[in-house]
Amino acid sequence: GGAFLPFNKGLDPIKDGLQPPMFSAFVGATFFHLFTQLATDVVDAKKKGKVIVAFWFIMYAFYKNGFFDFILKPTPPPGKVAEKAKEDKKTK
């Protein structure tokens, strides 16, 4: 909160892009609005939209905090791990 206060700042706070809380709120609100307005055949669209948006908020928070980094980084082969451990012991 308070990114635009005092009001003479204009849009300078978002010149380099939205901050993560603002981005996630924008995506969540936009999705919920479009989902509830366009999903005419979905039963309980508002309830399902709320669940999907809550899931988005949780997954985005995990992503921004590096929870999924293990998926993106390749695991070194077992031999390399053992060699690294031996090197670490020698340096201590």
Side-chain angles (χ1 to χ4, degrees), residues 34-73:
L34 293 175
F35 184 76
T36 56
Q37 298 302 313
L38 300 176
T40 56
D41 297 337
V42 178
V43 177
D44 291 331
K46 283 190 178 182
K47 288 182 182 179
K48 291 177 182 176
K50 289 177 184 179
V51 170
I52 294 169
V53 170
F55 182 74
W56 156 252
F57 287 146
I58 293 167
M59 290 294 112
Y60 186 70
F62 282 161
Y63 167 74
K64 289 304 288 180
N65 289 304
F67 184 77
F68 300 116
D69 284 349
F70 68 93
I71 295 171
L72 302 175
K73 294 179 184 174

Side-chain angles (χ1 to χ4, degrees), residues 18-30:
L18 292 173
Q19 296 295 320
M22 293 171 71
F23 176 75
S24 64
F26 173 75
V27 171
T30 302

Side-chain angles (χ1 to χ4, degrees), residues 71-92:
I71 295 171
L72 302 175
K73 294 179 184 174
T75 306
K80 298 258 182 190
V81 173
E83 290 173 15
K84 176 81 170 131
K86 286 180 186 178
E87 289 176 13
D88 289 343
K89 284 183 183 178
K90 289 180 184 178
T91 57
K92 288 183 181 181

